[in-house]
Amino acid sequence: MNIHLHFFDKGQWTHSGNTYLRGNNIIKDHTRANDQTLAGLIQEVSDLESACKLNNRLNGLFAWIMSDSKRVFLSADHHRSVPLFYAVRGDEVWISDRTDWIYRRLPRAMPDDLLASEYLVLGYITGKETLCRDIFQVEAGTVVEVSLKQDHADSKQPSIRSKRYFRYVHQYRKASRKQFLHDFDDIVLQTMQRVTEYAAGRPIVVPLSGGYDSRLIAITLSRLEYPDVCCYTYGLQGSKEARISQTIAEKLNFPWTKVHYTQKKWREWFHNPKRRLYYRQASGLAGIPNIQELVALGELKNNHLLPGDAVIVGGHHAMFAGGKGIYDRYAYHDHPEVKEKTIIKHILHYHYYLWNWSHQHDTLYPFFRQRILNRLASLQTYPDSPSACESWDYHERQAKFIIHAGRLYDFFGYDWQMPFCDMDYLHFWLEVPLAYRHDKSLYKQYINSFSPFEIPGYNPQKMVLSLREKIRNTPVFLPAQRGYQKYIQWNRRKNEYHQHPMGWYGIINKADFQGRFTGKENINSFQSLELLRSIFENGFLSVDEVLNRSAVVLQNDPIH
């Protein structure tokens, strides 16, 4: 078996014997472990079971590979913070943190017409597949073993097995709201203390928006009296979120800067060779790249406004665990019991929406439904429908899009931490009952309790949501809902291109935008289509063409 390894940046990986390890701030059995210690433990792995036992003793962001002449183990951490991809043909095995490197080494490899529809409407590929059926990804909380078949010593075709060592499933405990708030404070302080110990006096930089997640990081760093903290934000001139960010930083006495976004800046960055290089690193066959901070980090680095040894500490994942994935009050608050129909409807509505696929609904719905169910445990595993939906969200959207923002920090050469990926933080929220997660009530109550840090949040829909609850059970609810949705679409069609607070539609030709934008799409919609055009090498590929191709595959081969 011939194993070929390639890494985008070898300097980020520790090589020891037959082991490659990437990670930092890794905790083993509640004690920080160095790379050599971890490499030694990895080299003791003998099978999937021992690999899973080892990973369940680790807490942090990591990936590792261990190989010999007859087998190779590939492991992602609990969150897939470092993506790993692999392909097997005959006795050749290719492994990389980039899909494009493997793709170029597979003769006759072609993008998959069927999975392109999921990529188009979701923005990434669920499960272990990628857009090329010959290339696979290691899923969050999973170990993969590629080995020569033991019962066929002469066989050159390796076998592939995988084992999941972590699945995001709630197991509620009984406690008062007061007790949960007290316990959450302990967890937040413990989690952020680990970050400050890792930073060890280096500057900590917080991307500070007007939201709760980054605010929680900033507040806690202030409570811990970390000596070197600065903040930045970004967006159009005069954005409300930026004003809130500035107010928070001023109250905490943290230096603050803002990168003003304009459509011109986005257009220049999009056509810059550096952006194309970033896309090759961070996107491709697995999913679209996270670009929200692209212009900001580029400008801050070019102008030497961030220290080279800084640790960027992002709030990714924080509110998700606190209940952000719970959207529908009726389905979850009034009827939380586990129902397949409710779970499928929720995931399709809130995730498979980047482009309208209703004209192919009858053909694509069974395919999407089965792919969703394939990613979940037995439904009896979950205490309620929200838990099942959050589990899917954790292993798919969070792992393949939200936490994937780490690739942007890698690209600009900055060290980074995502403290709310800490396993103790996640395990806390897995015990919090639905009533306290609904509407993120416990999470928001905790953050808003820190006077004098209590700062009004930016929630333009607060009045609308309040009115919706008042009329929900009245005859006017459905007509009012349809009318409001039509108004929102009309308003977005009229203003979105020039007035979106990020200004990022500047990357799209205005005529192309106006020809495709109906008021429902967002920037990720245009990214998924643009990347499919690049992958299929067809600059004129349309949404309908992608969906129709998938429908033809399903009609000719219904077993998919």
Side-chain angles (χ1 to χ4, degrees):
M1 187 167 70
N2 300 314
I3 300 171
H4 311 276
L5 292 175
H6 175 270
F7 304 115
F8 176 76
D9 183 352
K10 283 188 177 181
Q12 294 177 328
W13 291 79
T14 297
H15 181 204
S16 177
N18 61 349
T19 298
Y20 290 85
L21 168 69
R22 178 180 169 184
N24 53 47
N25 201 17
I26 301 173
I27 309 297
K28 180 184 76 71
D29 299 333
H30 305 287
T31 302
R32 183 168 287 102
N34 62 44
D35 289 352
Q36 293 304 316
T37 298
L38 291 170
L41 292 170
I42 293 168
Q43 288 167 8
E44 295 175 2
V45 166
S46 58
D47 51 30
L48 285 174
E49 287 69 26
S50 60
C52 291
K53 286 181 180 179
L54 171 61
N55 285 348
N56 277 322
R57 296 170 61 191
L58 303 180
N59 182 6
L61 307 179
F62 62 86
W64 57 262
I65 301 165
M66 192 269 281
S67 65
D68 57 34
S69 60
K70 294 184 177 180
R71 64 183 175 179
V72 58
F73 293 96
L74 302 88
S75 175
D77 61 24
H78 300 74
H79 318 277
R80 188 187 172 271
S81 65
V82 180
L84 282 176
F85 305 96
Y86 62 98
V88 179
R89 278 191 177 178
D91 62 350
E92 304 292 326
V93 181
W94 293 271
I95 299 168
S96 180
D97 51 6
R98 289 174 55 170
T99 56
D100 64 321
W101 180 84
I102 301 177
Y103 189 72
R104 291 195 302 269
R105 279 149 184 82
L106 296 177
R108 300 180 300 281
M110 294 292 291
D112 188 280
D113 283 333
L114 180 55
L115 291 175
S117 61
E118 183 175 67
Y119 189 103
L120 179 75
V121 303
L122 187 61
Y124 43 88
I125 301 295
T126 60
K128 66 180 182 180
E129 291 88 6
T130 68
L131 262 176
C132 175
R133 285 196 177 271
D134 291 321
I135 303 176
F136 300 92
Q137 53 185 316
V138 182
E139 297 182 75
T142 301
V143 181
V144 173
E145 179 188 20
V146 182
S147 61
L148 293 178
K149 298 178 181 178
Q150 296 180 357
D151 54 343
H152 295 83
D154 296 331
S155 173
K156 290 186 177 181
Q157 180 62 43
S159 66
I160 303 172
R161 298 191 303 144
S162 65
K163 187 175 181 65
R164 187 183 295 277
Y165 63 87
F166 175 74
R167 188 183 290 276
Y168 192 86
V169 178
H170 293 85
Q171 293 182 322
Y172 303 142
R173 67 180 168 99
K174 292 183 179 180
S176 65
R177 177 179 284 265
K178 182 178 179 181
Q179 183 63 52
F180 276 120
L181 288 168
H182 177 271
D183 294 346
F184 187 47
D185 186 54
D186 288 343
I187 288 292
V188 169
L189 290 173
Q190 171 187 290
T191 298
M192 290 301 299
Q193 184 68 45
R194 288 173 179 164
V195 171
T196 59
E197 290 172 357
Y198 171 74
R202 289 182 291 164
I204 287 181
V205 178
V206 181
L208 185 62
S209 69
Y212 282 95
D213 300 346
S214 57
R215 187 188 312 183
L216 176 57
I217 287 177
I219 289 171
T220 311
L221 288 171
S222 177
R223 292 176 67 194
L224 293 172
E225 299 181 347
Y226 192 77
D228 192 350
V229 179
C230 63
C231 308
Y232 69 85
T233 195
Y234 42 84
L236 291 183
Q237 184 79 33
S239 70
K240 295 180 180 179
E241 296 96 327
R243 288 200 295 270
I244 294 171
S245 169
Q246 184 176 13
T247 302
I248 295 169
E250 288 175 350
K251 284 183 175 289
L252 297 173
N253 294 316
F254 289 160
W256 176 90
T257 189
K258 182 191 176 187
V259 176
H260 297 294
Y261 279 1
T262 66
Q263 289 188 334
K264 181 181 178 182
K265 285 183 180 180
W266 274 107
R267 195 172 299 113
E268 290 173 349
W269 259 101
F270 192 74
H271 295 288
N272 188 302
K274 287 185 178 180
R275 191 278 307 172
R276 290 191 285 272
L277 180 61
Y278 168 59
Y279 267 40
R280 285 198 296 273
Q281 174 194 350
S283 60
L285 301 174
I288 63 176
N290 194 309
I291 65 169
Q292 185 164 311
E293 297 179 58
L294 177 63
V295 174
L297 283 171
E299 190 165 316
L300 291 169
K301 186 176 181 68
N302 290 342
N303 293 327
H304 308 287
L305 295 174
L306 293 185
D309 63 342
V311 181
I312 298 179
V313 179
H316 308 75
H317 214 46
M319 193 181 289
F320 158 76
K324 188 176 182 179
I326 304 174
Y327 303 100
D328 192 322
R329 179 179 176 84
Y330 174 78
Y332 292 155
H333 187 272
D334 301 335
H335 298 278
E337 61 271 12
V338 176
K339 288 185 178 180
E340 179 186 307
K341 183 178 179 180
T342 299
I343 295 165
I344 298 297
K345 181 179 179 181
H346 168 94
I347 294 174
L348 288 176
H349 180 74
Y350 289 106
H351 298 282
Y352 286 70
Y353 69 88
L354 293 183
W355 292 102
N356 180 13
W357 51 280
S358 60
H359 61 291
Q360 291 288 1
H361 178 274
D362 291 348
T363 305
L364 292 175
Y365 174 84
F367 172 63
F368 290 157
R369 171 187 170 276
Q370 192 57 53
R371 288 190 64 79
I372 291 170
L373 292 175
N374 288 346
R375 306 277 46 87
L376 295 168
S378 168
L379 296 188
Q380 287 70 38
T381 305
Y382 305 100
D384 45 49
S385 287
S387 179
C389 293
E390 287 180 83
S391 180
W392 183 94
D393 193 329
Y394 173 92
H395 288 282
E396 302 303 331
R397 183 174 185 269
Q398 298 298 311
K400 296 170 182 174
F401 182 66
I402 300 300
I403 295 174
H404 201 51
R407 305 286 73 71
L408 188 59
Y409 304 139
D410 286 342
F411 179 75
F412 283 102
Y414 291 108
D415 196 359
W416 54 275
Q417 288 283 286
M418 293 181 181
F420 304 124
C421 290
D422 186 281
M423 292 309 297
D424 291 333
Y425 181 92
L426 290 185
H427 282 305
F428 167 81
W429 283 108
L430 287 174
E431 295 181 336
V432 176
L434 178 61
Y436 297 151
R437 298 194 330 275
H438 180 73
D439 196 30
K440 308 171 285 290
S441 61
L442 186 81
Y443 180 79
K444 292 191 291 187
Q445 180 183 351
Y446 173 78
I447 297 172
N448 287 332
S449 68
F450 288 97
S451 179
F453 304 133
E454 184 173 349
I455 299 162
Y458 173 58
N459 187 356
Q461 292 188 319
K462 187 174 182 180
M463 186 179 300
V464 173
L465 294 174
S466 176
L467 178 61
R468 186 181 71 172
E469 291 306 312
K470 290 179 181 179
I471 66 172
R472 175 175 290 280
N473 296 316
T474 70
V476 302
F477 176 74
L478 288 178
Q481 184 183 52
R482 286 192 291 267
Y484 178 70
Q485 289 172 347
K486 289 182 179 179
Y487 165 74
I488 291 296
Q489 285 182 243
W490 172 84
N491 188 59
R492 292 190 71 212
R493 283 198 305 270
K494 180 181 178 182
N495 299 313
E496 191 79 352
Y497 189 80
H498 292 291
Q499 296 184 13
H500 189 280
M502 290 292 107
W504 49 21
Y505 288 110
I507 71 175
I508 305 162
N509 176 277
K510 187 175 181 180
D512 192 27
F513 177 87
Q514 292 176 331
R516 298 183 182 280
F517 188 69
T518 68
K520 294 181 179 180
E521 297 78 20
N522 61 34
I523 191 64
N524 296 326
S525 307
F526 291 92
Q527 278 208 96
S528 70
L529 178 60
E530 182 62 31
L531 281 161
L532 283 173
R533 286 173 169 177
S534 174
I535 293 165
F536 281 91
E537 298 181 352
N538 179 356
F540 299 97
L541 188 68
S542 68
V543 170
D544 286 345
E545 188 174 353
V546 174
L547 297 175
N548 291 342
R549 286 180 178 183
S550 297
V552 168
V553 174
L554 289 168
Q555 289 161 0
N556 292 335
D557 188 6
I559 64 171
H560 280 96

